[in-house]
Amino acid sequence: MTPFEESMRFETAPDGTRLRIGHWPSATGGHRRIVLCHGRTEFLEKYAETIGELTARGFDVWSMDWRGQGASGRALENPHKGHIDRFETYIEDLVWFFDTVIGPGDGETVLMAHSMGGHITLRAVLEGRVTPDRFVLSAPMIDLPLHGFRRCATAQLCRVMTAVGLGGGYVFGTGDYDPAGVKFDGNPLTGDRQRFEAIHAAMAANPVVAMGGPTFSWLNATFRSIPVLRNLSRGSPRTCPILLFTALDDTVVSVPAQTAMSAALPECSQVRIAGARHEILHETDGIRRQFWEAFDRFTTTG
């Protein structure tokens, strides 16, 4: 077992679900801490490089595999299905993670989240459920890049399929994770081949963390949560300094929705990164350098 793996353990959420968590101490003995929240399909090992960069900056790092993915407990018999009943379940897990597992600290707490994790954590912050001192968002899933008739039809289909008890089925056009179908060329996540291949090598080394497409229930829960988040951004007084990174070549989540969210939040600054695909922290060195330069300025200013 590697030192990285030795820092992981399992805890049991209040409803009995086993969730895998990780805690990596600061390399410099600092008192600041980062709570790192992943996107859909992601897992702790995928962020080993980022976690090392954060501990080297003096942060204690805490992270967790969301229920239904990584090595945490999964809801359905087919573990490849990305499934949730409602986003409030994710938020309840996050609150439990903050309050029961991590607990109070002596120094500053920075919340850092990517994609789906950005949606969950932003809702939790605006609802006053968690209260970080600073908040970093990487390509947050404020909305999906679906519009017009296609959006209405997809949302209605997911609503109906969930209502009639078929919410556990894959959204059409998706299925189990298939390593034979993995191709770097044309992928929407990163332009860095080495990091792309490292992600899939990690899944090959530990197949339990592999995940396929979303279920109708997951997508229905997403469509239900999007307007909740939008309304919160218009009326919630609960906020903190926020740094929002937008990947301008992102086709996975909506870029305009991130810009609108940044404008709606009173203490939010947006960093727009040209040429970046969805997974900024797994992108090329030049793109990641832009992230870390802005991150360092944000986390070291008063």
Side-chain angles (χ1 to χ4, degrees), residues 9-243:
R9 68 178 191 268
F10 287 90
E11 296 282 352
T12 303
D15 71 346
T17 302
R18 276 183 19 119
L19 301 179
R20 187 175 66 158
I21 69 168
H23 177 215
W24 296 267
S26 160
T28 63
H31 294 288
R32 297 188 300 171
R33 60 186 182 179
I34 288 265
V35 181
L36 176 63
C37 297
H38 311 148
R40 198 191 80 82
T41 78
E42 297 190 310
F43 49 94
L44 296 177
E45 292 91 337
K46 182 173 177 177
Y47 281 83
E49 180 181 19
T50 297
I51 290 167
E53 290 163 316
L54 289 168
T55 58
R57 283 171 164 79
F59 289 100
D60 260 22
V61 179
W62 289 87
S63 192
M64 171 180 67
D65 283 343
W66 294 114
R67 68 169 58 219
Q69 63 188 59
S72 289
R74 307 210 177 182
L76 303 180
E77 183 177 353
N78 181 349
H80 284 255
K81 291 181 175 180
H83 184 77
I84 198 68
D85 54 349
R86 58 195 187 113
F87 270 52
E88 287 77 7
T89 302
Y90 288 135
I91 294 171
E92 290 159 7
D93 287 343
L94 179 69
V95 173
W96 164 82
F97 186 45
F98 260 83
D99 293 348
T100 303
V101 178
I102 301 175
D106 297 330
E108 184 177 68
T109 297
V110 179
L111 179 57
M112 180 170 161
H114 173 67
S115 195
M116 181 190 81
H119 184 110
I120 297 163
T121 55
L122 187 51
R123 267 196 62 180
V125 168
L126 294 180
E127 291 173 5
R129 305 289 301 279
V130 298
T131 55
D133 298 293
R134 300 175 195 257
F135 192 5
V136 178
L137 291 162
S138 163
M141 189 187 73
I142 307 301
D143 202 346
L144 301 175
L146 294 172
H147 309 282
F149 174 78
R150 183 184 175 202
R151 183 187 185 94
C152 292
T154 302
Q156 177 68 8
L157 174 63
C158 292
R159 186 161 51 247
V160 169
M161 295 293 279
T162 301
V164 300
L166 298 175
Y170 274 124
V171 171
F172 297 142
T174 70
D176 291 357
Y177 172 75
D178 179 10
V182 171
K183 294 180 175 60
F184 172 75
D185 293 337
N187 86 85
L189 303 179
T190 175
D192 190 286
R193 182 183 292 273
Q194 184 174 354
R195 291 188 174 98
F196 178 86
E197 292 177 349
I199 293 166
H200 295 282
M203 286 189 276
N206 186 16
V208 72
V209 303
M211 173 171 284
T215 64
F216 287 111
S217 179
W218 184 91
L219 195 51
N220 182 57
T222 301
F223 279 122
R224 290 172 56 196
S225 189
I226 285 167
V228 174
L229 179 57
R230 186 183 305 118
N231 289 335
L232 282 168
S233 71
R234 293 168 179 161
S236 175
R238 303 181 180 96
T239 189
C240 63
I242 301 172
L243 187 62

